[in-house]
């Protein structure tokens, strides 16, 4: 962090130094970590083995990124997750550029430091998720839109920034459809900023829309060809069929945001929202709040009507980080505020990184309880391997998404998705049991077991009572019941040899 001893170092160099140092440490921590892939991460990896323009629950960018990183360094966990720390570093430097554009390089530096030290960023740097590329694209879009708008005052035609905005929005939509909040935020900005409405009549505005639509179009075509599976999944997530008035969920969600963005930054954000409502916010603050408020407002309503996960409003925080940096670098603001805002985040981030790097060599009870979900599949796969070796000619049937994804990854030399299998591939094809004939995940969409899928079959299931599957076959043989206990969490699988499929 900037002190009197570093006053001679440029803000850009300080930002780069901190971002690079933490990124290198995070990549090293990933390489040292004993954490296995979560089921969702394993699923994204399996998508990357069969690249497409869309997937059941998510747009395709996450699979493309994993395909790129694993092509560069292999299929180890660190390579599957490598894009996350790198993209967070890019997001931090994008926020530096945004802070610099709105005020100066010093503001940009503190925005970058705030972002790269956030505990939530430390956590998401060590997993592969759709939020990370979304946030990088969001940051570039907010920056490029601001620079496009500012170019008119500077008397320049900023085709490059307009193109960057369109590309960032399009790629963001391929990361996660929550990128659509950016359009709402930009519209909100234009409602209150009459001087920027020229973009609506300018060819640069059309360029932004055209590029974003062109990039998204193939994914929309894929959805149309698959009964709009991804779009329908968004409706399932909304879950508006239960009790529609849940004030407790709102309190819970807002409380979680103090952890996601940090206590002081979130309080500063709320305070500046109040200042904006009173007409006391600066033009730069109004621009940033226009992008921060829509996701927060929508998800608060979602929490009230049903439920909301802590990360659903995460797109509020790139622009909010710059907003906080503007406040921290105001003339006369005591340096202690900057240190107490970023310092605890840095300590927490480094502590978390250390725990990840040394686990499970040093397994603290509370930490291990949280990490238990990220362990056990490697041991389970070693128990399954000899059974597969004795049944190499059989197709494999699995009953749920998470088990299938995890075993596809940890037994990748033995198993592969049935419809993604190349001719001559010696690995065993894996099918998924679609119990209600209505696809609820990507495997059920493309690899659902049916009459032509192979018989006999080796069933691997985590169902406590697999009779709804077993009864669909004339001949059944229980082969094994397996279990792995890891830090108090037990995974159980049963394996059956089935033949004489009767049909669903």
């Amino acid at each position: 962090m900037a002190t009197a001893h570093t006053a001679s170092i440029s803000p850009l160099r300080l930002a780069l130094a901190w971002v690079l140092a933490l990124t290198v440490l995070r990549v090293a921590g990933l390489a040292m970590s004993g954490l296995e892939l979560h089921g969702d991460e394993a699923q994204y990896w399996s998508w990357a083995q069969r690249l497409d323009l869309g997937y059941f629950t998510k747009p395709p960018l996450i699979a493309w990124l994993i395909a790129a990183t694993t092509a560069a360094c292999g299929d180890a966990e660190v390579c599957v997750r490598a894009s996350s720390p790198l993209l967070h570093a890019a997001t931090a430097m994008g926020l530096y550029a945004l802070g610099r554009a709105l005020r100066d390089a010093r503001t940009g530096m503190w925005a970058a430091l705030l972002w790269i030290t956030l505990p939530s960023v430390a956590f998401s740097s060590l997993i592969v998720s759709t939020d990370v590329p979304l946030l990088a694209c969001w940051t570039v879009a907010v920056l490029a839109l601001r620079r496009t708008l500012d170019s008119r005052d500077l008397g320049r035609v900023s085709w490059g920034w307009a193109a960057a905005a369109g590309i960032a929005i399009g790629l963001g939509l391929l990361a996660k459809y929550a990128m659509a909040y950016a359009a709402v935020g930009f519209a909100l900005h234009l409602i209150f900023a009459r001087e920027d409405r020229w973009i609506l009549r300018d060819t640069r505005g059309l360029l932004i829309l055209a590029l974003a639509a062109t990039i998204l179009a193939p994914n929309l075509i894929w959805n149309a060809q698959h009964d709009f599976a991804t779009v329908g999944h968004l409706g399932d997530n909304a879950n508006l069929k239960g009790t529609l008035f849940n004030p407790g969920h709102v309190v819970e969600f807002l409380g979680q945001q103090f952890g996601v963005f940090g206590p002081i930054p979130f309080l500063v954000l709320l305070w500046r929202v109040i200042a904006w409502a009173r007409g006391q916010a600066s033009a730069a603050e109004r621009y940033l709040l226009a992008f921060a408020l829509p996701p927060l407002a929508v998800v608060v309503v979602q929490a009230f009507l049903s439920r909301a996960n802590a990360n659903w409003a995460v797109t509020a925080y790139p622009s909010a980080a710059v907003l906080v940096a503007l406040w921290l670098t105001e003339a006369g603001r005591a340096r202690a505020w900057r240190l107490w805002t970023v310092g605890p985040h840095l300590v927490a981030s480094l502590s978390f990184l250390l725990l990840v790097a040394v686990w499970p060599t040093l397994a603290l009870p509370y930490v291990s309880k949280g990490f238990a979900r990220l362990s056990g599949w490697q041991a389970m796969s070693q128990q399954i391997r000899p059974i597969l070796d004795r049944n190499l000619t059989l197709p494999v049937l699995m009953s749920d998404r998470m088990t299938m994804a995890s075993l596809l990854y940890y037994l990748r030399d033995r198993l592969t998705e049935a419809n993604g299998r190349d001719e001559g591939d010696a690995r065993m094809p894996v099918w998924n049991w679609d119990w209600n004939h209505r696809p609820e995940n990507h495997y059920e969409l493309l690899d659902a077991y049916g009459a032509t899928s192979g018989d006999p079959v080796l069933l691997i299931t985590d169902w406590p009572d697999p009779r709804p599957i077993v009864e669909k076959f004339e001949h059944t043989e229980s082969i094994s019941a397996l279990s792995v206990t890891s830090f108090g969490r037990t995974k159980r699988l049963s394996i059956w040899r089935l033949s004489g499929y009767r049909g669903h």
Side-chain angles (χ1 to χ4, degrees), residues 227-394:
D227 298 322
F228 290 96
T230 315
V231 178
H233 176 72
L234 295 178
D236 293 337
N237 271 347
N239 189 30
L240 299 179
K241 298 178 181 179
T243 303
L244 295 181
F245 302 102
N246 303 279
H249 291 180
V250 174
V251 174
E252 180 183 4
F253 171 75
L254 291 176
Q256 291 169 338
Q257 301 316 293
F258 283 92
V260 172
F261 194 45
I264 293 178
F266 194 64
L267 286 173
V268 172
L269 171 60
L270 295 178
W271 181 41
R272 300 320 296 163
V273 170
I274 294 171
W276 172 76
R278 293 177 173 177
Q280 299 171 351
S282 67
E285 288 178 318
R286 291 196 300 271
Y287 179 74
L288 296 168
L289 284 169
F291 289 94
L293 288 178
L296 274 173
V298 170
V299 179
V300 164
V301 172
Q302 166 70 21
F304 181 69
L305 294 178
S306 177
R307 63 181 179 88
N309 292 340
N311 68 315
W312 283 4
V314 72
T315 50
Y317 298 122
S319 59
V322 182
L323 181 77
V324 174
L326 287 171
W327 181 83
L328 289 173
T329 56
E330 283 180 351
R333 183 76 61 211
R335 184 172 58 185
W337 278 109
R338 296 188 287 275
L339 298 178
W340 279 107
T341 299
V342 176
H345 292 177
L346 177 61
V347 172
S349 295
L350 291 175
S351 299
F352 177 73
L353 178 61
L354 179 63
L355 289 173
V356 168
V358 301
W359 190 87
T361 303
L362 177 62
L364 302 178
Y366 182 78
V367 173
S368 295
K369 183 179 180 180
F371 285 170
R373 296 177 62 192
L374 301 176
S375 65
W377 283 114
Q378 184 75 262
M380 181 67 79
S381 69
Q382 294 308 311
Q383 293 187 39
I384 295 174
R385 188 176 295 275
I387 298 173
L388 296 180
D389 290 343
R390 294 193 297 269
N391 295 273
L392 286 175
T393 61
L394 297 186

Side-chain angles (χ1 to χ4, degrees), residues 16-328:
L16 278 171
W18 277 102
V19 170
L20 180 61
L22 283 174
T23 301
V24 169
L25 286 174
R26 284 167 181 167
V27 173
L30 279 174
M32 296 169 63
S33 172
L35 295 178
E36 299 174 12
L37 295 187
H38 183 265
D40 283 332
E41 296 177 289
Q43 176 183 241
Y44 299 150
W45 172 86
S46 72
W47 292 355
Q49 311 313 300
R50 184 164 52 176
L51 294 179
D52 208 336
L53 297 172
Y55 299 91
F56 186 88
T57 55
K58 296 290 188 296
L61 186 58
I62 187 69
W64 299 353
L65 288 169
I66 293 173
T69 58
T70 53
C73 69
D75 287 314
E77 288 91 343
V78 60
C79 299
V80 175
R81 294 165 168 156
S83 64
S84 291
L86 299 179
L87 285 173
H88 271 312
T91 299
M93 295 315 299
L95 295 177
Y96 166 85
L98 181 58
R100 184 173 181 271
L102 291 173
R103 178 180 286 170
D104 56 26
R106 182 166 167 266
T107 299
M109 180 195 72
W110 283 102
L113 293 188
L114 176 60
W115 184 262
I116 206 66
T117 58
L118 285 177
S120 58
V121 169
F123 171 76
S124 62
S125 291
L126 301 175
I127 61 173
V128 61
S129 75
T130 54
D131 284 337
V132 180
L134 167 67
L135 293 168
C137 292
W138 182 280
T139 299
V140 173
V142 175
L143 169 64
L145 288 169
R146 185 66 264 170
R147 295 299 297 267
T148 301
L149 295 173
D150 290 344
S151 66
R152 193 187 195 208
D153 295 335
L154 299 174
R156 295 198 302 263
V157 179
S158 55
W159 291 103
W161 282 113
I167 293 169
I169 293 170
L171 288 176
L173 288 167
L174 292 185
K176 202 170 182 179
Y177 294 143
M179 188 72 197
Y181 286 130
V184 179
F186 194 54
L188 182 62
H189 168 69
L190 294 180
I191 289 172
F192 294 99
R194 182 187 300 269
E195 68 276 10
D196 287 336
R197 294 179 195 168
W198 62 267
I199 193 70
L200 298 175
R201 305 181 299 274
D202 192 271
T203 50
R204 282 166 287 185
L206 290 176
L207 176 64
I208 293 170
L209 286 174
L211 286 173
T214 300
I215 292 171
L216 179 62
N219 177 250
L220 294 180
I221 293 171
W222 182 93
N223 265 281
Q225 293 171 341
H226 294 86
D227 298 322
F228 290 96
T230 315
V231 178
H233 176 72
L234 295 178
D236 293 337
N237 271 347
N239 189 30
L240 299 179
K241 298 178 181 179
T243 303
L244 295 181
F245 302 102
N246 303 279
H249 291 180
V250 174
V251 174
E252 180 183 4
F253 171 75
L254 291 176
Q256 291 169 338
Q257 301 316 293
F258 283 92
V260 172
F261 194 45
I264 293 178
F266 194 64
L267 286 173
V268 172
L269 171 60
L270 295 178
W271 181 41
R272 300 320 296 163
V273 170
I274 294 171
W276 172 76
R278 293 177 173 177
Q280 299 171 351
S282 67
E285 288 178 318
R286 291 196 300 271
Y287 179 74
L288 296 168
L289 284 169
F291 289 94
L293 288 178
L296 274 173
V298 170
V299 179
V300 164
V301 172
Q302 166 70 21
F304 181 69
L305 294 178
S306 177
R307 63 181 179 88
N309 292 340
N311 68 315
W312 283 4
V314 72
T315 50
Y317 298 122
S319 59
V322 182
L323 181 77
V324 174
L326 287 171
W327 181 83
L328 289 173

Side-chain angles (χ1 to χ4, degrees), residues 367-428:
V367 173
S368 295
K369 183 179 180 180
F371 285 170
R373 296 177 62 192
L374 301 176
S375 65
W377 283 114
Q378 184 75 262
M380 181 67 79
S381 69
Q382 294 308 311
Q383 293 187 39
I384 295 174
R385 188 176 295 275
I387 298 173
L388 296 180
D389 290 343
R390 294 193 297 269
N391 295 273
L392 286 175
T393 61
L394 297 186
V396 175
L397 174 61
M398 296 194 193
S399 59
D400 79 292
R401 172 179 67 91
M402 301 294 266
T403 297
M404 182 167 171
S406 297
L407 293 182
L408 281 171
Y409 177 77
Y410 285 104
L411 290 167
R412 54 190 178 273
D413 61 326
R414 291 288 190 273
L415 304 177
T416 186
E417 292 169 81
N419 283 323
R421 189 168 178 247
D422 296 328
E423 186 175 351
D425 193 334
R427 292 176 295 176
M428 303 164 73

